Amino acid sequence: MKTSNYLAKLPQEVTIKSIETHQGYDSFTLEKQRLCPHCGSVHCVIKDSGALQTVRHIPINNRGTELSFHKRRLLCKDCNTTFYETPYWIHPSLHMTWALYDSILLDLMEPIPQTEIAKKNCVTESIVQSVLKTINFGLPAHLPETINIDEFKGNSGVWSQKHHKWYLNKYHCNISDGDSHAVIDVLDQISTAYLHKYFQQFSLEERKHVKYFCCDMSNGFVSLAKKDFPNAKICIDPFHVINRLNDMVDDVRRRYQHEFQEKGETENYKKIKSHTPFKNKAG
Ligand SMILES: [Zn+2]
């Protein structure tokens, strides 16, 4: 076993030819064993030395690591096939090793900010974002009888490579099964057009099965329910009703408070000021 490969978490079939030290990261130049993916033979000759490929790897000694190697075209002398090398330890679409991909993915499961994950793995935040983007749970197979829908504040968004900045969505949308209380999906936008497009992915038959659509009083949700769920009863969540009533009572209280202050009725002003209603800011 090659100890250097073991310590650098590299597969045994590569050889580290050289290591260059740069500011903040190290660059490894590798040579790969010639191996036929069809018959497993090592009797392969190089047809084309190919372009130099550079991928990112997990940090070694808290320093970022870059791996460089030639993506060659080989001919197997045993089974007579030609092929381009596609190392199994490199992610097929992201410029990184599976080891780094797995490390970032495991960190994404923890409640830690993406900036911390980037720092821990010695990569940029956009690389963490590119791993996050590969996770796709797909559409739920069925819609529940009771849909609960609500917005929440978040900070997810889209990274624009062109403008080199984040386009953040202030509000996101949570959709859950009102009976089992399981989360069905989390969407990064709440516009009616976006939600309409989302629910249109389910067949009309599927949408007809929805009996109750629970939401707040926002016009967007209500019109969406009318448009997309022909058989659903629209239920305004009691939490939002109570919250709205609380707001209205508070408006009146504040109006009087202001009036008493203007008139100099200190006694009344003090009495009413102490009656601030309980406010629940969740949801
Ligand atoms: Zn072969």
Side-chain angles (χ1 to χ4, degrees):
M1 188 173 82
K2 292 179 197 162
T3 319
S4 54
N5 286 33
Y6 176 77
L7 292 173
K9 299 233 168 9
L10 287 169
Q12 289 292 315
E13 63 263 30
V14 303
T15 306
I16 302 168
K17 298 295 281 179
S18 64
I19 302 173
E20 263 180 62
T21 307
H22 301 273
Q23 199 183 353
Y25 74 98
D26 297 326
S27 180
F28 287 49
T29 306
L30 307 177
E31 198 175 273
K32 298 193 294 317
Q33 189 186 24
R34 297 177 209 162
L35 197 70
C36 173
H38 305 286
C39 70
S41 166
V42 288
H43 300 123
C44 302
V45 288
I46 300 168
K47 289 284 279 180
D48 180 358
S49 60
L52 192 71
Q53 203 180 6
T54 304
V55 297
R56 285 178 183 276
H57 187 47
I58 47 168
I60 299 165
N61 294 328
N62 295 321
R63 284 173 62 79
T65 312
E66 235 180 48
L67 309 176
S68 296
F69 52 85
H70 280 273
K71 200 177 175 184
R72 304 168 296 190
R73 194 169 140 83
L74 303 178
L75 164 72
C76 173
K77 286 177 118 181
D78 284 329
C79 71
N80 214 27
T81 49
T82 55
F83 54 91
Y84 272 107
E85 288 179 305
T86 45
Y88 67 89
W89 43 277
I90 307 274
H91 190 280
S93 57
L94 303 173
H95 295 285
M96 63 176 76
T97 58
W98 278 109
L100 177 62
Y101 178 86
D102 290 346
S103 168
I104 296 174
L105 201 60
L106 286 171
D107 286 343
L108 281 168
M109 289 178 190
E110 300 297 328
I112 42 176
Q114 285 181 24
T115 41
E116 282 300 312
I117 298 175
K119 217 167 121 186
K120 199 176 149 203
N121 290 282
C122 297
V123 293
T124 59
E125 228 181 299
S126 59
I127 289 177
V128 176
Q129 197 67 25
S130 69
V131 172
L132 184 65
K133 270 187 189 165
T134 62
I135 309 167
N136 185 4
F137 294 101
L139 261 196
H142 297 288
L143 286 172
E145 274 191 3
T146 309
I147 286 184
N148 278 3
I149 191 164
D150 204 5
E151 71 204 25
F152 65 95
K153 260 189 184 175
N155 61 357
S156 96
V158 184
W159 171 259
S160 164
Q161 202 71 44
K162 197 175 155 194
H163 301 109
H164 208 75
K165 67 179 247 190
W166 284 97
Y167 285 96
L168 296 176
N169 300 313
K170 197 173 174 191
Y171 290 103
H172 311 302
C173 183
N174 179 73
I175 305 165
S176 58
D177 180 336
D179 299 312
S180 72
H181 299 164
V183 174
I184 305 166
D185 218 337
V186 177
L187 309 178
D188 64 348
Q189 291 180 39
I190 53 155
S191 74
T192 316
Y194 184 83
L195 291 174
H196 174 61
K197 210 173 148 190
Y198 172 80
F199 284 116
Q200 282 297 312
Q201 295 177 92
F202 295 93
S203 68
L204 179 62
E205 277 312 299
E206 188 68 42
R207 284 182 280 122
K208 273 183 176 174
H209 283 137
V210 177
K211 285 187 186 162
Y212 304 100
F213 190 91
C214 307
C215 53
D216 62 15
M217 292 86 124
S218 88
N219 209 13
F221 287 148
V222 173
S223 67
L224 178 81
K226 284 180 185 165
K227 217 174 350 179
D228 289 338
F229 301 97
N231 295 339
K233 261 203 174 87
I234 300 167
C235 312
I236 306 299
D237 195 315
F239 168 82
H240 290 104
V241 177
I242 299 296
N243 223 22
R244 185 77 193 103
L245 285 174
N246 234 343
D247 282 348
M248 289 162 96
V249 171
D250 202 32
D251 281 349
V252 176
R253 186 192 60 83
R254 238 180 276 154
R255 206 170 64 222
Y256 273 104
Q257 186 183 315
H258 191 71
E259 222 174 279
F260 290 145
Q261 195 178 20
E262 295 264 289
K263 289 180 186 166
E265 296 180 25
T266 324
E267 205 57 38
N268 283 337
Y269 171 78
K270 275 184 187 166
K271 266 186 206 164
I272 209 160
K273 196 172 185 268
S274 60
H275 282 85
T276 312
F278 168 73
K279 287 282 283 178
N280 190 343
K281 283 285 176 196

